[in-house]
Amino acid sequence: VVDAAAAGIISGVEAIRYSATLAGDGLVTAAADALQVVITDTNRDRAHHWRSSQDVHGHTEPGGPETDVLTPTNADQRLEVFAGHDPDQQTIAVQEGPVAATATSYGEPFAYRPEDRAVMAVDGDPATAWLVGDHGDPIGERIELAVDGPVSSSTVRQPAPRPGGRAIRRVILRVDGIEIGDVDLGPASWTDAGQRLAIATTGPATVSIEIAEVDLGDTAVRASRAGVGFVEIDFGLGPTTEWVRPPVDAVDAASGQPLSVVLTRLRVGALDPWRSDPEPELHRVIELPDDRAIEPEVTLRLDPQADDVTLAGILAPGSADHVSIASARLTGAPHRAGLFATDGDRSTAWTTPYDGALGASLTVPLSDVLEGSFDLIQLPGPYSVVSSLELIDEEGAIVVAVPPPDQGGRSVVSLPRAVRGDTVTLRITDIAAETTIDRRYGDRVVLPASIAEVAAPGVATASIDPATQVVAACRADLLTVDGTPSPLSFSTTVAELLAGAPVAATVCDAPLDLEGGEHRVRSMARHAGYTLDRLVLSDAGPTDVADQPVGVLIERDDTRDRTVLVDPCPTGCWVVLGEGFSEAWEATADGTDLGPPQIVDGGFNGWWLPPTTSATAVEFRWTAQRPVTLGLAVSLASIVACLLIVALTRRRGPPTPRMPTPVRIGGPARSAPELHRGWVVPMSLLIVGGLLIQPVWGLVGGALGIAALLLARVVPLGVGTLLGSMGLGLVAFVALAVMWIERRDLPSPDAGWTESFARLNGAAVLAVVCVAIGALATPRPADSVRFSCAP
């Protein structure tokens, strides 16, 4: 609903019904009566957790009830919008290519990061990767690759670790479940060429790569807790493309009806330092019911992750050869690119990434020889301060000290010799580091450095005018339909691009004549410095909808009982109750039952009101209150009955005292029937442990019960006391193990830190069961015990 409204397809006046709630003739009838049929790429088959309000959605899966990870997690608790798991009613992801990838997990233990999913390791894109264990333990995680042909060898490439960062040291290889050996990974696996692995198959097979050992790096820096994985796993068979397919259940029913297909790329906030876009590009497979003349509407934005060279070509097209280029910049901030360090404007700046100031470099164009000194102006504020630079020109490299800046951020840097060439590269070699605490993980991070201007007579400057027009005329490198370029034209300004404003683009050869059947839509805008964020394919045109909905007068507005007066609707209309959908709501119109509610308008309750020529009173009732009220009444009656029993008991006199039972001294400690009843303890542990925890823990509990029973024959403490002591010992063991794991692993201080010792949960619960059953098995002492000796 949100995507369709953002695309201008719906206005909020229409009643919106969902194909997933209809079937058979009902779907055909609803589509025939509709003003238009809208297909969106929402209702995705994906995981969902409830441990936080951010990063709660997993990657798009191939449909059906099964999860698309090899090791499901209990945190995946999906709240399905519609009943059932029919893939035709879901947006699903399909891997097309010679290799299909799945993994035990991806991203980090406590949040979903779909951009790190398994397919990213076989997509042929060096900017994406399968990553796992971020701020967690990656040991034992694996990726499985189903190859469709013979393999003679393969290469793997993992992300090059940042200074102090961790990397995979050793992996275990398996083919069709059979281990073929382990391999040590070294620096070769960090290069573009990758490291070769001895993997060979004679035909289709499943190759598994399991992480067995990790080089931890420097645990004092947060890079040592970064995720590990593979940028690319190449079997020499070519890349695999992941296509996202919207629901198809209503396609046939839409034949002959106005149709709009709304496709929206999944993305995250540009400045989010922990995430990247789940969909770097828009890849969609859509299905049309019949031949259509489609009018596309395209929404572009400047790619906030584009490199400085690409940005210079867009933002300074006439001066692209005269701007500064940075090796790295603040994540998602094109207005902090290197070109703003030599634009003559001290209010703009080049800003390095967090934890990325050291080693970052800026290549500055020169208009003349740089002699004597130059001004380095650093942006005041919460930044690390540059204190040393390495300057690299055509004659070599020199290291210069940067004096502490004055109140305006200016430092005069003296040069030991003249700097010559077309450019000079300034590499940051030392800083006065300022740090902060990362709010997500609690890591201590180094703040970026920010250079506002490199100023000297020999430094070339190129100002960036925000009002500059950025115009594209029929660019063929942004969008393809069925493999054929669909050229786009647009016009915007530098200011709008830097602000992240949407850019409306038109297709030069519109309308697109598309035949009925399957079509593939793919964007490549990222390689040109843009992102294609939304594509609307529509032949619906303007729809005949009244400007205002039918008038409604609220006559009664109670919590569970509401009455409204609906103005005449001669052709019939939908009455919508804006409460979360529930079949417990019922509606009557002038006393006539309108039937069960239907999901409409984003999850509300809707009833069809037949044509009327006069005002109609519609009453809504919440029927679920009746059994609740009955249950409360039963509870109240039970409480009253209990109070009466207590009162009547108190009115009776004290119980008649009984003579104490003589106790024989020196008799046997336990009778045979008592020993026989003792076997109830291990049986109880076996059953309760197996049902409450896992069958294996039931067996362990049963073994502990047998041990307590046998030990009670030689130790005069009783089965219950011994079992309770074992439970307390198990509690102590779990506590010590937790402290040891916390000390050893230093888990991230978020709500997912318990994942580090989740494997101890079974032992902890079994300890509680042992203590509870031990307490029940321990005889209760009498309130008063008298001893007498029998003659």
Side-chain angles (χ1 to χ4, degrees):
V1 171
V2 173
D3 286 355
I9 299 300
I10 60 175
S11 64
V13 175
E14 314 91 339
I16 300 170
R17 304 181 69 185
Y18 297 92
S19 61
T21 64
L22 303 166
D25 294 340
L27 176 58
V28 174
T29 301
D33 293 341
L35 296 173
Q36 67 170 316
V37 176
V38 180
I39 298 175
T40 70
D41 50 8
T42 51
N43 190 33
R44 293 182 178 235
D45 177 30
R46 58 184 177 180
H48 190 133
H49 75 70
W50 304 88
R51 298 174 295 188
S52 69
S53 61
Q54 296 180 337
D55 305 334
V56 298
H57 294 294
H59 71 290
T60 305
E61 299 178 0
E66 296 81 13
T67 181
D68 195 35
V69 290
L70 301 174
T71 305
T73 170
N74 290 331
D76 181 3
Q77 299 294 329
R78 311 180 188 201
L79 185 61
E80 304 292 353
V81 179
F82 307 108
H85 300 87
D86 186 352
D88 286 350
Q89 298 175 347
Q90 298 174 309
T91 293
I92 63 174
V94 180
Q95 296 184 31
E96 292 189 358
V99 182
T102 55
T104 51
S105 182
Y106 57 92
E108 61 178 284
F110 185 63
Y112 283 122
R113 298 213 307 242
E115 59 269 27
D116 297 335
R117 60 194 181 274
V119 72
M120 297 304 199
V122 294
D123 63 351
D125 186 349
T128 63
W130 169 63
L131 297 175
V132 69
D134 194 339
H135 286 76
D137 184 7
I139 302 299
E141 303 286 359
R142 72 182 190 278
I143 184 170
E144 288 192 355
L145 307 136
V147 295
D148 64 2
V151 173
S152 57
S153 67
S154 67
T155 59
V156 295
R157 175 186 171 191
Q158 59 175 321
R162 299 184 63 179
R166 63 179 174 178
I168 301 173
R169 179 185 297 172
R170 185 169 58 90
V171 296
I172 299 173
L173 305 179
R174 296 181 180 87
V175 175
D176 290 334
I178 301 174
E179 185 172 330
I180 62 173
D182 57 357
V183 177
D184 292 334
L185 299 183
S189 65
W190 308 341
T191 64
D192 292 344
Q195 179 174 334
R196 291 182 64 84
L197 300 180
I199 299 176
T201 68
T202 58
T206 298
V207 177
S208 169
I209 303 177
E210 179 180 328
I211 301 173
E213 191 175 351
V214 172
D215 185 353
L216 296 179
D218 182 0
T219 57
V221 299
R222 68 169 177 172
S224 67
R225 294 175 286 280
V228 297
F230 297 106
V231 171
E232 204 65 30
I233 302 173
D234 185 6
F235 294 105
L237 303 175
T240 291
T241 301
E242 181 185 63
W243 295 92
V244 173
R245 191 222 67 194
V248 296
D249 59 325
V251 169
D252 290 340
S255 180
Q257 285 293 90
L259 176 68
S260 294
V261 181
V262 182
L263 307 175
T264 308
R265 185 179 68 90
L266 292 184
R267 62 187 193 275
V268 297
L271 295 174
D272 190 333
W274 309 286
R275 295 288 310 275
S276 57
D277 290 344
E279 292 183 324
E281 295 177 336
L282 189 77
H283 293 170
R284 295 291 184 270
V285 178
I286 63 171
E287 190 171 332
L288 300 179
D290 43 34
D291 296 350
R292 301 274 171 155
I294 297 293
E295 292 285 349
E297 297 179 10
V298 181
T299 300
L300 300 170
R301 285 181 174 84
L302 181 68
D303 182 4
Q305 313 300 340
D307 60 61
D308 273 25
V309 174
T310 303
L311 285 180
I314 295 174
L315 303 178
S319 308
D321 295 335
H322 305 289
V323 299
S324 298
I325 302 298
S327 62
R329 69 167 184 275
L330 189 66
T331 300
H335 59 288
R336 294 300 179 95
L339 55 93
F340 293 102
T342 54
D343 62 347
D345 184 352
R346 295 190 179 189
S347 66
T348 62
W350 163 55
T351 303
T352 71
Y354 283 85
D355 271 344
L358 287 176
S361 63
L362 180 71
T363 300
V364 177
L366 297 178
S367 58
D368 200 351
V369 176
L370 194 60
E371 294 183 293
S373 66
F374 66 90
D375 288 348
L376 185 74
I377 302 169
Q378 302 185 58
L379 200 65
Y383 302 103
S384 296
V385 178
V386 177
S387 58
S388 176
L389 290 171
E390 181 185 44
L391 274 59
I392 306 170
D393 66 352
E394 63 182 18
E395 296 183 4
I398 55 175
V399 176
V400 296
V402 178
D406 60 20
Q407 290 185 348
R410 177 174 175 266
S411 300
V412 178
V413 181
S414 299
L415 295 173
R417 65 168 174 82
V419 176
R420 295 180 171 85
D422 295 331
T423 64
V424 59
T425 298
L426 284 64
R427 190 173 71 86
I428 300 174
T429 54
D430 199 9
I431 58 173
E434 296 289 337
T435 63
T436 188
I437 300 298
D438 176 87
R439 67 174 176 83
R440 177 160 181 159
Y441 302 113
D443 295 327
R444 182 167 292 279
V445 296
V446 178
L447 291 171
S450 191
I451 296 177
E453 204 69 27
V454 179
V459 174
T461 60
S463 61
I464 309 300
D465 184 2
T468 299
Q469 291 287 316
V470 179
V471 179
C474 295
R475 290 192 61 164
D477 58 347
L478 303 176
L479 175 68
T480 65
V481 178
D482 295 330
T484 301
S486 291
L488 300 179
S489 296
F490 60 87
S491 177
T492 184
T493 65
V494 167
E496 290 176 335
L497 289 176
L498 289 175
V503 178
T506 58
V507 176
C508 296
D509 52 2
L512 300 178
D513 293 322
L514 300 179
E515 298 178 350
E518 193 173 86
H519 298 275
R520 279 169 166 70
V521 178
R522 182 171 188 170
S523 71
M524 310 88 65
R526 182 167 57 113
H527 303 287
Y530 298 93
T531 61
L532 197 157
D533 293 338
R534 185 172 64 227
L535 174 63
V536 180
L537 304 172
S538 178
D539 68 349
T543 56
D544 184 17
V545 180
D547 293 335
Q548 295 295 329
V550 177
V552 176
L553 175 65
I554 300 175
E555 294 189 331
R556 181 175 179 177
D557 188 13
D558 291 341
T559 304
R560 298 180 295 273
D561 193 353
R562 301 171 189 181
T563 303
V564 298
L565 195 64
V566 181
D567 286 351
C569 45
T571 59
C573 55
W574 283 89
V575 180
V576 180
L577 176 63
E579 296 277 1
F581 175 78
S582 174
E583 294 182 353
W585 284 105
E586 67 176 22
T588 58
D590 289 337
T592 302
D593 187 6
L594 294 179
Q598 299 186 43
I599 301 179
V600 296
D601 291 1
F604 300 132
N605 305 274
W607 292 267
W608 174 252
L609 186 64
T612 59
T613 56
S614 60
T616 305
V618 178
E619 183 177 0
F620 308 103
R621 287 186 299 275
W622 175 251
T623 60
Q625 187 61 32
R626 297 166 188 165
V628 174
T629 302
L630 179 60
L632 292 174
V634 172
S635 299
L636 179 61
S638 301
I639 294 173
V640 171
C642 291
L643 293 175
L644 288 174
I645 292 173
V646 171
L648 292 175
T649 302
R650 286 180 175 272
R651 291 182 61 185
R652 297 178 180 177
T656 303
R658 295 184 298 174
M659 295 299 292
T661 302
V663 177
R664 183 177 299 276
I665 295 179
R670 192 174 289 104
S671 66
E674 210 174 345
L675 285 173
H676 178 71
R677 288 194 300 271
W679 287 97
V680 173
V681 171
M683 293 303 297
S684 299
L685 284 165
L686 177 66
I687 296 172
V688 175
L691 293 177
L692 288 185
I693 315 173
Q694 287 178 335
V696 64
W697 287 109
L699 295 175
V700 174
L704 291 178
I706 293 174
L709 184 62
L710 296 176
L711 192 59
R713 296 186 176 185
V714 296
V715 179
L717 290 178
V719 176
T721 302
L722 290 170
L723 185 62
S725 300
M726 291 179 179
L728 293 176
L730 197 53
V731 169
F733 167 76
V734 171
L736 291 173
V738 168
M739 288 188 289
W740 168 257
I741 293 172
E742 288 181 338
R743 186 79 173 178
R744 181 192 64 190
D745 297 344
L746 298 176
S748 177
D750 57 25
W753 66 281
T754 55
E755 296 283 348
S756 300
F757 42 80
R759 57 186 178 274
L760 297 173
N761 288 346
V765 178
L766 181 62
V768 175
V769 172
C770 288
V771 172
I773 293 181
L776 293 174
T778 302
R780 296 179 59 188
D783 293 336
S784 177
V785 180
R786 298 181 182 180
F787 293 91
S788 63
C789 294

